[in-house]
Amino acid sequence: MEFWTVTHARTLLPSLAVMLVLAWALRRLLSGKEERVRIIPLQVVASLIAVLEIVKQVRSMIVGYDLYHLPLHVCSLIAVLLPVVAFYRGRYKEGLRAVTVALSTGLFALMMIAPNAIYSDESIQSAFRDFGDFHTTAFHTLAIFALVLLFALELYKPQLRRHARLALVFTSAYCVIAAVLANLLQTNFNNFYRCVLEPAEQARIAFCTAHGQIAGQVLYAFLVSLVNIGGILVAYTLYALLCRALQRNAKQ
């Protein structure tokens, strides 16, 4: 499987450029404003994400619910967390933002490395003919934009050690739940049942052949969990370091 296609390059890269320009303009416009003002662009984006997710779930229920639509993908967690983060003001605000940033940064990194592993070029081409494909492409674009806004408008200040531990616990709990349900329901949540990357899928099959189906799947799910946990922790650490660099630059 190709990591990038021509269609992804023609759509994702220009979209990212537009996001960065908009975020820069909003940063200049809202600089010095209270958080309740700075967070308005994020609230707009998060509301669009919430509407898309609700429509997807309702449509699935109407036509016969597809288990793949259960919110057990990392992207589904982001779709739930972003609207909460955008409007929630309670005592757990910073913790929720930390987890959301960690997951969203992980998604952003994967989108930059292998967008074709997340959605295909066919999904892009049929986005305006099929709602499922439109949801896939629009959601991932909006999720990236939400992360850019969180960073550019300084809506979250990382606490590297404390919040990295929180991201570790949250991601570990998610991996356990998603891995178990993916195999029980035989539904490929976040690649816990099988892998879209052919070399990894061949390794899974080899595990199952050598150690039996159950033991092989357990070993495979454990390795996928390690990749998810490690990737999200690295992504969060990079986000925190980038925020520190931005703050130092602003003080100079």
Side-chain angles (χ1 to χ4, degrees):
M1 185 189 71
E2 294 179 275
F3 282 8
W4 279 82
T5 68
V6 173
T7 305
H8 284 92
R10 288 175 176 173
T11 55
L12 180 56
L13 296 180
S15 297
L16 181 59
V18 171
M19 293 177 211
L20 294 174
V21 171
L22 284 174
W24 175 80
L26 288 168
R27 179 180 174 84
R28 288 180 61 88
L29 177 66
L30 301 177
S31 178
K33 302 292 185 182
E34 296 179 3
E35 185 183 282
R36 63 183 180 84
V37 177
R38 286 185 287 116
I39 204 170
I40 291 174
L42 179 65
Q43 290 175 334
V44 173
V45 173
S47 296
L48 292 174
I49 287 174
V51 169
L52 282 173
E53 186 63 23
I54 290 169
V55 172
K56 182 187 83 172
Q57 295 294 335
V58 170
R59 282 175 56 89
S60 189
M61 291 177 187
I62 291 173
V63 302
Y65 197 79
D66 185 345
L67 292 177
Y68 191 74
H69 292 161
L70 287 171
L72 290 169
H73 306 272
V74 169
C75 296
S76 301
L77 297 180
I78 296 171
V80 172
L81 286 169
L82 275 172
V84 174
V85 161
F87 293 96
Y88 178 70
R89 295 292 181 274
R91 62 183 295 190
Y92 303 111
K93 179 181 74 173
E94 291 303 311
L96 285 168
R97 291 186 186 187
V99 170
T100 304
V101 163
L103 297 177
S104 298
T105 308
L107 172 62
F108 179 86
L110 187 56
M111 286 284 287
M112 294 301 100
I113 296 170
N116 196 38
I118 299 176
Y119 58 86
S120 67
D121 54 349
E122 288 85 359
S123 293
I124 300 172
Q125 293 164 4
S126 62
F128 294 102
R129 298 192 301 271
D130 178 83
F131 176 78
D133 289 330
F134 174 77
H135 176 276
T136 298
T137 54
F139 163 74
H140 288 93
T141 302
L142 289 170
I144 289 176
F145 190 33
L147 177 67
V148 172
L149 290 174
L150 278 161
F151 177 78
L153 300 178
E154 298 184 68
L155 296 170
Y156 166 67
K157 295 181 179 180
Q159 300 176 40
L160 187 52
R161 291 184 180 179
R162 179 184 175 191
H163 286 168
R165 288 196 295 268
L166 181 59
L168 170 63
V169 172
F170 184 92
T171 307
S172 299
Y174 159 73
C175 287
V176 171
I177 295 169
V180 170
L181 290 177
N183 284 277
L184 287 177
L185 299 176
Q186 298 184 2
T187 304
N188 198 33
F189 303 123
N190 204 46
N191 289 309
F192 277 112
Y193 187 59
R194 57 181 178 274
C195 192
V196 297
L197 296 176
E198 187 59 29
E201 175 61 8
Q202 292 303 316
R204 181 191 69 83
I205 294 171
F207 291 159
C208 293
T209 301
H211 306 291
Q213 186 66 29
I214 294 176
Q217 283 295 119
V218 169
L219 177 58
Y220 167 75
F222 175 72
L223 294 175
V224 172
S225 297
L226 291 181
V227 170
N228 275 272
I229 294 167
I232 286 173
L233 287 177
V234 169
Y236 177 78
T237 301
L238 291 175
Y239 182 94
L241 294 176
L242 192 57
C243 285
R244 287 184 182 178
L246 182 67
Q247 291 170 359
R248 284 197 299 268
N249 184 62
K251 292 178 181 178
Q252 292 177 354

